[in-house]
mmCIF file of all heavy atoms in Angstrom:
data_model
loop_
_atom_site.group_PDB
_atom_site.id
_atom_site.type_symbol
_atom_site.label_atom_id
_atom_site.label_comp_id
_atom_site.label_asym_id
_atom_site.label_seq_id
_atom_site.Cartn_x
_atom_site.Cartn_y
_atom_site.Cartn_z
ATOM 1 N N GLY A 1054 104.763 86.731 100.733
ATOM 2 C CA GLY A 1054 104.611 87.112 102.128
ATOM 3 C C GLY A 1054 103.154 87.309 102.500
ATOM 4 O O GLY A 1054 102.715 86.923 103.589
ATOM 5 N N GLU A 1055 102.388 87.909 101.604
ATOM 6 C CA GLU A 1055 100.964 88.136 101.851
ATOM 7 C C GLU A 1055 100.203 86.819 101.962
ATOM 8 O O GLU A 1055 99.319 86.660 102.806
ATOM 9 C CB GLU A 1055 100.371 89.004 100.749
ATOM 10 C CG GLU A 1055 100.901 90.428 100.770
ATOM 11 C CD GLU A 1055 100.576 91.194 99.501
ATOM 12 O OE1 GLU A 1055 100.172 90.577 98.498
ATOM 13 O OE2 GLU A 1055 100.740 92.421 99.531
ATOM 14 N N GLU A 1056 100.559 85.843 101.119
ATOM 15 C CA GLU A 1056 99.900 84.537 101.169
ATOM 16 C C GLU A 1056 100.243 83.809 102.462
ATOM 17 O O GLU A 1056 99.376 83.182 103.079
ATOM 18 C CB GLU A 1056 100.310 83.689 99.967
ATOM 19 C CG GLU A 1056 99.762 84.218 98.650
ATOM 20 C CD GLU A 1056 100.386 83.538 97.447
ATOM 21 O OE1 GLU A 1056 101.606 83.272 97.462
ATOM 22 O OE2 GLU A 1056 99.635 83.279 96.490
ATOM 23 N N LYS A 1057 101.507 83.898 102.876
ATOM 24 C CA LYS A 1057 101.905 83.267 104.137
ATOM 25 C C LYS A 1057 101.177 83.903 105.311
ATOM 26 O O LYS A 1057 100.722 83.213 106.222
ATOM 27 C CB LYS A 1057 103.419 83.379 104.340
ATOM 28 C CG LYS A 1057 104.221 82.513 103.407
ATOM 29 C CD LYS A 1057 105.706 82.719 103.611
ATOM 30 C CE LYS A 1057 106.512 81.920 102.615
ATOM 31 N NZ LYS A 1057 107.954 82.143 102.761
ATOM 32 N N ALA A 1058 101.036 85.238 105.293
ATOM 33 C CA ALA A 1058 100.328 85.936 106.365
ATOM 34 C C ALA A 1058 98.864 85.507 106.397
ATOM 35 O O ALA A 1058 98.304 85.263 107.476
ATOM 36 C CB ALA A 1058 100.444 87.444 106.180
ATOM 37 N N ALA A 1059 98.244 85.384 105.230
ATOM 38 C CA ALA A 1059 96.843 84.975 105.161
ATOM 39 C C ALA A 1059 96.670 83.563 105.713
ATOM 40 O O ALA A 1059 95.713 83.285 106.453
ATOM 41 C CB ALA A 1059 96.336 85.049 103.720
ATOM 42 N N ARG A 1060 97.599 82.669 105.387
ATOM 43 C CA ARG A 1060 97.528 81.304 105.923
ATOM 44 C C ARG A 1060 97.698 81.308 107.435
ATOM 45 O O ARG A 1060 97.038 80.558 108.143
ATOM 46 C CB ARG A 1060 98.585 80.407 105.280
ATOM 47 C CG ARG A 1060 98.210 79.978 103.904
ATOM 48 C CD ARG A 1060 99.057 78.839 103.448
ATOM 49 N NE ARG A 1060 98.656 78.428 102.121
ATOM 50 C CZ ARG A 1060 99.188 77.411 101.484
ATOM 51 N NH1 ARG A 1060 100.140 76.715 102.045
ATOM 52 N NH2 ARG A 1060 98.772 77.091 100.284
ATOM 53 N N TRP A 1061 98.605 82.143 107.927
ATOM 54 C CA TRP A 1061 98.816 82.218 109.367
ATOM 55 C C TRP A 1061 97.551 82.712 110.063
ATOM 56 O O TRP A 1061 97.140 82.175 111.087
ATOM 57 C CB TRP A 1061 99.998 83.109 109.722
ATOM 58 C CG TRP A 1061 100.054 83.384 111.195
ATOM 59 C CD1 TRP A 1061 99.864 84.556 111.817
ATOM 60 C CD2 TRP A 1061 100.285 82.425 112.228
ATOM 61 N NE1 TRP A 1061 99.956 84.398 113.170
ATOM 62 C CE2 TRP A 1061 100.223 83.100 113.456
ATOM 63 C CE3 TRP A 1061 100.532 81.047 112.231
ATOM 64 C CZ2 TRP A 1061 100.386 82.464 114.678
ATOM 65 C CZ3 TRP A 1061 100.704 80.419 113.459
ATOM 66 C CH2 TRP A 1061 100.637 81.112 114.654
ATOM 67 N N ILE A 1062 96.909 83.709 109.506
ATOM 68 C CA ILE A 1062 95.681 84.244 110.099
ATOM 69 C C ILE A 1062 94.609 83.156 110.139
ATOM 70 O O ILE A 1062 93.929 82.979 111.155
ATOM 71 C CB ILE A 1062 95.210 85.495 109.329
ATOM 72 C CG1 ILE A 1062 96.176 86.657 109.601
ATOM 73 C CG2 ILE A 1062 93.784 85.867 109.717
ATOM 74 C CD1 ILE A 1062 95.985 87.855 108.701
ATOM 75 N N GLU A 1063 94.453 82.417 109.054
ATOM 76 C CA GLU A 1063 93.464 81.331 109.022
ATOM 77 C C GLU A 1063 93.800 80.255 110.049
ATOM 78 O O GLU A 1063 92.924 79.744 110.736
ATOM 79 C CB GLU A 1063 93.370 80.722 107.623
ATOM 80 C CG GLU A 1063 92.626 81.589 106.642
ATOM 81 C CD GLU A 1063 91.219 81.921 107.100
ATOM 82 O OE1 GLU A 1063 90.469 81.007 107.488
ATOM 83 O OE2 GLU A 1063 90.864 83.116 107.084
ATOM 84 N N THR A 1064 95.069 79.908 110.159
ATOM 85 C CA THR A 1064 95.483 78.899 111.122
ATOM 86 C C THR A 1064 95.246 79.384 112.549
ATOM 87 O O THR A 1064 94.778 78.633 113.401
ATOM 88 C CB THR A 1064 96.981 78.556 110.935
ATOM 89 O OG1 THR A 1064 97.158 78.051 109.610
ATOM 90 C CG2 THR A 1064 97.439 77.519 111.935
ATOM 91 N N SER A 1065 95.535 80.654 112.796
ATOM 92 C CA SER A 1065 95.401 81.178 114.161
ATOM 93 C C SER A 1065 93.945 81.219 114.613
ATOM 94 O O SER A 1065 93.676 81.207 115.810
ATOM 95 C CB SER A 1065 96.029 82.568 114.262
ATOM 96 O OG SER A 1065 95.295 83.507 113.507
ATOM 97 N N LYS A 1066 93.008 81.249 113.685
ATOM 98 C CA LYS A 1066 91.591 81.233 114.046
ATOM 99 C C LYS A 1066 91.189 79.921 114.707
ATOM 100 O O LYS A 1066 90.178 79.855 115.394
ATOM 101 C CB LYS A 1066 90.728 81.483 112.811
ATOM 102 C CG LYS A 1066 90.814 82.903 112.297
ATOM 103 C CD LYS A 1066 89.970 83.087 111.052
ATOM 104 C CE LYS A 1066 90.096 84.509 110.517
ATOM 105 N NZ LYS A 1066 89.324 84.690 109.273
ATOM 106 N N LYS A 1067 91.986 78.874 114.513
ATOM 107 C CA LYS A 1067 91.697 77.564 115.098
ATOM 108 C C LYS A 1067 92.194 77.452 116.531
ATOM 109 O O LYS A 1067 91.839 76.517 117.238
ATOM 110 C CB LYS A 1067 92.331 76.465 114.238
ATOM 111 C CG LYS A 1067 91.778 76.430 112.827
ATOM 112 C CD LYS A 1067 92.532 75.438 111.971
ATOM 113 C CE LYS A 1067 92.068 75.537 110.523
ATOM 114 N NZ LYS A 1067 92.873 74.729 109.635
ATOM 115 N N PHE A 1068 93.018 78.403 116.970
ATOM 116 C CA PHE A 1068 93.528 78.374 118.336
ATOM 117 C C PHE A 1068 92.418 78.758 119.300
ATOM 118 O O PHE A 1068 91.532 79.534 118.963
ATOM 119 C CB PHE A 1068 94.697 79.352 118.509
ATOM 120 C CG PHE A 1068 95.914 79.040 117.685
ATOM 121 C CD1 PHE A 1068 96.768 80.048 117.299
ATOM 122 C CD2 PHE A 1068 96.213 77.751 117.299
ATOM 123 C CE1 PHE A 1068 97.893 79.787 116.546
ATOM 124 C CE2 PHE A 1068 97.333 77.468 116.543
ATOM 125 C CZ PHE A 1068 98.177 78.487 116.173
ATOM 126 N N PRO A 1069 92.458 78.240 120.532
ATOM 127 C CA PRO A 1069 91.430 78.627 121.498
ATOM 128 C C PRO A 1069 91.565 80.109 121.861
ATOM 129 O O PRO A 1069 92.671 80.657 121.878
ATOM 130 C CB PRO A 1069 91.724 77.744 122.709
ATOM 131 C CG PRO A 1069 93.140 77.343 122.567
ATOM 132 C CD PRO A 1069 93.428 77.327 121.092
ATOM 133 N N HIS A 1070 90.432 80.741 122.129
ATOM 134 C CA HIS A 1070 90.451 82.157 122.507
ATOM 135 C C HIS A 1070 90.979 82.275 123.933
ATOM 136 O O HIS A 1070 90.534 81.572 124.832
ATOM 137 C CB HIS A 1070 89.062 82.763 122.428
ATOM 138 C CG HIS A 1070 89.031 84.171 122.932
ATOM 139 N ND1 HIS A 1070 89.602 85.206 122.227
ATOM 140 C CD2 HIS A 1070 88.547 84.706 124.068
ATOM 141 C CE1 HIS A 1070 89.459 86.325 122.906
ATOM 142 N NE2 HIS A 1070 88.816 86.042 124.033
ATOM 143 N N THR A 1071 91.916 83.135 124.123
ATOM 144 C CA THR A 1071 92.421 83.424 125.464
ATOM 145 C C THR A 1071 92.380 84.928 125.663
ATOM 146 O O THR A 1071 92.681 85.684 124.738
ATOM 147 C CB THR A 1071 93.863 82.918 125.651
ATOM 148 O OG1 THR A 1071 94.681 83.454 124.613
ATOM 149 C CG2 THR A 1071 93.941 81.408 125.602
ATOM 150 N N PRO A 1072 92.011 85.358 126.858
ATOM 151 C CA PRO A 1072 91.939 86.794 127.091
ATOM 152 C C PRO A 1072 93.328 87.425 127.049
ATOM 153 O O PRO A 1072 94.327 86.780 127.370
ATOM 154 C CB PRO A 1072 91.320 86.907 128.480
ATOM 155 C CG PRO A 1072 91.534 85.586 129.120
ATOM 156 C CD PRO A 1072 91.638 84.579 128.021
ATOM 157 N N ARG A 1073 93.359 88.682 126.645
ATOM 158 C CA ARG A 1073 94.626 89.398 126.613
ATOM 159 C C ARG A 1073 95.091 89.690 128.028
ATOM 160 O O ARG A 1073 94.282 89.869 128.933
ATOM 161 C CB ARG A 1073 94.466 90.703 125.848
ATOM 162 C CG ARG A 1073 94.191 90.481 124.393
ATOM 163 C CD ARG A 1073 94.059 91.795 123.685
ATOM 164 N NE ARG A 1073 93.735 91.530 122.298
ATOM 165 C CZ ARG A 1073 94.077 92.319 121.309
ATOM 166 N NH1 ARG A 1073 94.729 93.425 121.527
ATOM 167 N NH2 ARG A 1073 93.749 92.008 120.080
ATOM 168 N N LEU A 1074 96.399 89.757 128.193
ATOM 169 C CA LEU A 1074 96.965 90.099 129.491
ATOM 170 C C LEU A 1074 97.020 91.613 129.621
ATOM 171 O O LEU A 1074 97.298 92.331 128.660
ATOM 172 C CB LEU A 1074 98.368 89.513 129.629
ATOM 173 C CG LEU A 1074 98.451 87.981 129.605
ATOM 174 C CD1 LEU A 1074 99.904 87.542 129.595
ATOM 175 C CD2 LEU A 1074 97.726 87.390 130.786
ATOM 176 N N SER A 1075 96.796 92.090 130.830
ATOM 177 C CA SER A 1075 96.864 93.526 131.070
ATOM 178 C C SER A 1075 98.321 93.969 131.132
ATOM 179 O O SER A 1075 99.237 93.145 131.263
ATOM 180 C CB SER A 1075 96.176 93.868 132.388
ATOM 181 O OG SER A 1075 96.937 93.347 133.468
ATOM 182 N N ASP A 1076 98.520 95.275 131.062
ATOM 183 C CA ASP A 1076 99.885 95.808 131.190
ATOM 184 C C ASP A 1076 100.490 95.396 132.522
ATOM 185 O O ASP A 1076 101.680 95.097 132.613
ATOM 186 C CB ASP A 1076 99.875 97.330 131.049
ATOM 187 C CG ASP A 1076 99.587 97.781 129.625
ATOM 188 O OD1 ASP A 1076 99.736 96.949 128.709
ATOM 189 O OD2 ASP A 1076 99.228 98.954 129.438
ATOM 190 N N GLU A 1077 99.676 95.380 133.558
ATOM 191 C CA GLU A 1077 100.157 94.983 134.890
ATOM 192 C C GLU A 1077 100.624 93.528 134.881
ATOM 193 O O GLU A 1077 101.659 93.187 135.445
ATOM 194 C CB GLU A 1077 99.053 95.184 135.936
ATOM 195 C CG GLU A 1077 99.364 94.602 137.297
ATOM 196 C CD GLU A 1077 100.605 95.183 137.954
ATOM 197 O OE1 GLU A 1077 100.941 96.355 137.692
ATOM 198 O OE2 GLU A 1077 101.244 94.449 138.728
ATOM 199 N N GLN A 1078 99.872 92.658 134.242
ATOM 200 C CA GLN A 1078 100.209 91.237 134.213
ATOM 201 C C GLN A 1078 101.510 90.956 133.472
ATOM 202 O O GLN A 1078 102.167 89.955 133.743
ATOM 203 C CB GLN A 1078 99.071 90.434 133.594
ATOM 204 C CG GLN A 1078 97.832 90.385 134.461
ATOM 205 C CD GLN A 1078 96.659 89.781 133.721
ATOM 206 O OE1 GLN A 1078 96.359 90.168 132.588
ATOM 207 N NE2 GLN A 1078 95.986 88.839 134.364
ATOM 208 N N ILE A 1079 101.876 91.808 132.532
ATOM 209 C CA ILE A 1079 103.107 91.569 131.775
ATOM 210 C C ILE A 1079 104.226 92.524 132.166
ATOM 211 O O ILE A 1079 105.235 92.601 131.492
ATOM 212 C CB ILE A 1079 102.852 91.638 130.255
ATOM 213 C CG1 ILE A 1079 102.341 93.014 129.831
ATOM 214 C CG2 ILE A 1079 101.925 90.526 129.810
ATOM 215 C CD1 ILE A 1079 102.287 93.207 128.331
ATOM 216 N N SER A 1080 104.033 93.223 133.256
ATOM 217 C CA SER A 1080 105.078 94.152 133.697
ATOM 218 C C SER A 1080 106.253 93.370 134.280
ATOM 219 O O SER A 1080 106.105 92.246 134.766
ATOM 220 C CB SER A 1080 104.539 95.119 134.745
ATOM 221 O OG SER A 1080 104.264 94.426 135.942
ATOM 222 N N ARG A 1081 107.395 93.967 134.235
ATOM 223 C CA ARG A 1081 108.601 93.356 134.793
ATOM 224 C C ARG A 1081 108.407 93.041 136.274
ATOM 225 O O ARG A 1081 108.807 91.987 136.760
ATOM 226 C CB ARG A 1081 109.803 94.279 134.600
ATOM 227 C CG ARG A 1081 111.087 93.736 135.216
ATOM 228 C CD ARG A 1081 112.256 94.663 134.984
ATOM 229 N NE ARG A 1081 112.761 94.651 133.642
ATOM 230 C CZ ARG A 1081 113.496 93.680 133.104
ATOM 231 N NH1 ARG A 1081 113.771 92.614 133.802
ATOM 232 N NH2 ARG A 1081 113.951 93.773 131.882
ATOM 233 N N GLU A 1082 107.747 93.950 136.971
ATOM 234 C CA GLU A 1082 107.543 93.762 138.403
ATOM 235 C C GLU A 1082 106.715 92.514 138.703
ATOM 236 O O GLU A 1082 107.010 91.774 139.628
ATOM 237 C CB GLU A 1082 106.876 95.003 139.007
ATOM 238 C CG GLU A 1082 107.760 96.231 139.046
ATOM 239 C CD GLU A 1082 107.860 96.935 137.695
ATOM 240 O OE1 GLU A 1082 107.013 96.720 136.807
ATOM 241 O OE2 GLU A 1082 108.826 97.701 137.523
ATOM 242 N N SER A 1083 105.672 92.277 137.906
ATOM 243 C CA SER A 1083 104.838 91.105 138.170
ATOM 244 C C SER A 1083 105.543 89.811 137.790
ATOM 245 O O SER A 1083 105.308 88.772 138.394
ATOM 246 C CB SER A 1083 103.503 91.212 137.430
ATOM 247 O OG SER A 1083 103.678 91.065 136.048
ATOM 248 N N MET A 1084 106.428 89.866 136.799
ATOM 249 C CA MET A 1084 107.151 88.664 136.389
ATOM 250 C C MET A 1084 108.229 88.281 137.392
ATOM 251 O O MET A 1084 108.540 87.112 137.572
ATOM 252 C CB MET A 1084 107.782 88.864 135.015
ATOM 253 C CG MET A 1084 106.810 88.891 133.886
ATOM 254 S SD MET A 1084 107.717 88.982 132.335
ATOM 255 C CE MET A 1084 106.574 89.910 131.354
ATOM 256 N N TYR A 1085 108.818 89.281 138.013
ATOM 257 C CA TYR A 1085 109.927 89.017 138.918
ATOM 258 C C TYR A 1085 109.615 89.469 140.346
ATOM 259 O O TYR A 1085 110.500 89.856 141.087
ATOM 260 C CB TYR A 1085 111.187 89.750 138.426
ATOM 261 C CG TYR A 1085 111.627 89.282 137.060
ATOM 262 C CD1 TYR A 1085 111.419 90.051 135.922
ATOM 263 C CD2 TYR A 1085 112.264 88.052 136.909
ATOM 264 C CE1 TYR A 1085 111.816 89.623 134.674
ATOM 265 C CE2 TYR A 1085 112.677 87.606 135.665
ATOM 266 C CZ TYR A 1085 112.443 88.406 134.559
ATOM 267 O OH TYR A 1085 112.845 87.978 133.329
#
């Protein structure tokens, strides 16, 4: 499991950086 997690972390470093969404942006009210 630790090796799989380490591989996932390395793979995820290749993804483009995207800013985190705020609590407001992911609230139920904003989605609907």
Side-chain angles (χ1 to χ4, degrees):
E1055 292 166 346
E1056 291 169 321
K1057 289 177 184 178
R1060 283 195 179 183
W1061 170 247
I1062 290 169
E1063 285 303 310
T1064 300
S1065 67
K1066 289 178 182 178
K1067 298 174 187 173
F1068 297 153
H1070 175 71
T1071 54
R1073 293 181 183 209
L1074 297 174
S1075 68
D1076 289 342
E1077 171 60 29
Q1078 291 171 311
I1079 61 171
S1080 69
R1081 177 179 286 285
E1082 291 79 19
S1083 70
M1084 288 185 212
Y1085 298 105

